[in-house]
Amino acid sequence: MRTKLRGIVALGVVVGISCGLPVAAAADTPDTTDTEAVKGVVLRPGDRGEAVRLLQRRLHAGRYYYGRIHGVYDEQTKLAVWALQKSRRMMPQGEIGPQVWKALDRPFRWRPLVPEGGPDRVEINLREQLLTVYRDRRPVLFSHISSGAEVRYCKDGRCGNAITPVGNFRVSRRAPGWTTGRLGSMFNSLYFTGGIAMHGSTRVPLRPASHGCVRLPIETSKRLYEIVKIGEPVYVRGGFDWSRDRAAGGTRDRDRR
């Protein structure tokens, strides 16, 4: 592996988202040997190769990526990169370079939204559009999300407000696989208040776009469904920072369902 990566660098090849207090490091201190070899490599969605495979392995070790380690910078990889970038206070974008490689190597200490929360819980940060799962007070899964679009909507003669409620909740119902309702399709749904759930979606844009549910990448939702059970606390805090969306070129209504 190390030989292949040296070859990449030597040749100059650019492998090119319907509804605090510190805690222990999210992962063990990483082995920086391989990422040191690609610290100058820039990767973009669509790229393929050993550097992408390394990126996926490192994202998986950091609890951001749950897809296949196949060396293709696909949509699931991009969404995992966004989760990493947001957790480290970077502007989320698909292209990665030295800053992301460095973040993957740096020991990470996380500040919880609810320091006094239960040892096993889900935290949803609406401002950062980031979901974190804790086990024994340690973060074990990070995910980019897309929550309620905060607009008025009407569908089939019925209207409502696309808002993800803030507060303390518990998972009350689980629905495995794909289910389709009036507002669209949901995968591996974990309901935490009324008809609002955390669920996998094929559309998880870089901004709130749902009718109130919390959308996650499909592959991440599979892992979330495995580890989060009925009765688990779900803490929802914050509000979306629209200035950050505008800086990234977003609009309030794009991609709404």
Side-chain angles (χ1 to χ4, degrees), residues 9-197:
V9 176
L11 290 170
V13 177
V14 177
V15 198
I17 147 198
S18 318
C19 206
L21 294 173
V23 297
D28 295 333
T29 302
D31 179 355
T32 62
T33 306
D34 284 344
T35 45
E36 183 69 19
V38 293
K39 64 182 181 181
V41 172
V42 175
L43 294 175
R44 302 176 181 88
D47 287 340
R48 298 169 177 263
E50 291 297 333
V52 178
R53 198 181 304 272
L54 173 61
L55 172 66
Q56 291 169 333
R57 284 203 299 268
R58 298 307 302 277
L59 289 169
H60 177 76
R63 283 81 165 182
Y64 299 100
Y65 179 69
Y66 293 90
R68 293 173 50 218
I69 310 297
H70 49 35
V72 180
Y73 196 148
D74 57 7
E75 183 74 2
Q76 298 296 305
T77 305
K78 181 183 74 174
L79 298 179
V81 168
W82 287 356
L84 167 71
Q85 291 167 329
K86 289 192 287 186
S87 73
R88 306 300 181 94
R89 299 293 192 267
M90 303 178 198
M91 180 66 73
Q93 56 185 344
E95 179 177 301
I96 74 159
Q99 188 181 25
V100 170
W101 292 117
K102 183 177 179 180
L104 287 167
D105 281 342
R106 192 166 55 237
F108 179 38
R109 297 185 66 83
W110 181 248
R111 289 182 177 270
L113 280 177
V114 186
E116 72 279 8
D120 297 343
R121 67 190 189 271
V122 179
E123 292 186 345
I124 298 172
N125 186 329
L126 298 182
R127 180 178 178 85
E128 297 298 329
Q129 293 290 281
L130 188 69
L131 177 150
T132 308
V133 179
Y134 288 81
R135 286 295 173 270
D136 196 23
R137 303 193 184 280
R138 293 174 59 90
V140 299
L141 180 151
F142 299 94
S143 180
H144 159 69
I145 62 170
S146 178
S147 61
E150 299 187 359
V151 296
R152 183 77 173 167
Y153 69 88
C154 293
K155 176 82 171 179
D156 299 332
R158 297 169 61 182
C159 300
N161 295 311
I163 294 173
T164 302
V166 172
N168 299 343
F169 311 98
R170 288 186 181 273
V171 175
S172 58
R173 182 160 60 95
R174 289 159 48 93
W178 285 103
T179 55
T180 301
R182 182 175 61 89
L183 298 177
S185 297
M186 305 157 66
F187 182 75
N188 279 1
S189 303
L190 295 162
Y191 292 86
F192 59 92
T193 179
I196 294 179

Side-chain angles (χ1 to χ4, degrees), residues 188-226:
N188 279 1
S189 303
L190 295 162
Y191 292 86
F192 59 92
T193 179
I196 294 179
M198 303 171 280
H199 67 83
S201 175
T202 58
R203 301 175 69 192
V204 196
L206 194 55
R207 44 170 302 283
S210 81
H211 293 92
C213 285
V214 176
R215 300 180 188 173
L216 297 90
I218 293 291
E219 295 300 326
T220 305
S221 72
K222 294 177 182 178
R223 179 58 181 157
L224 184 74
Y225 199 84
E226 288 177 353

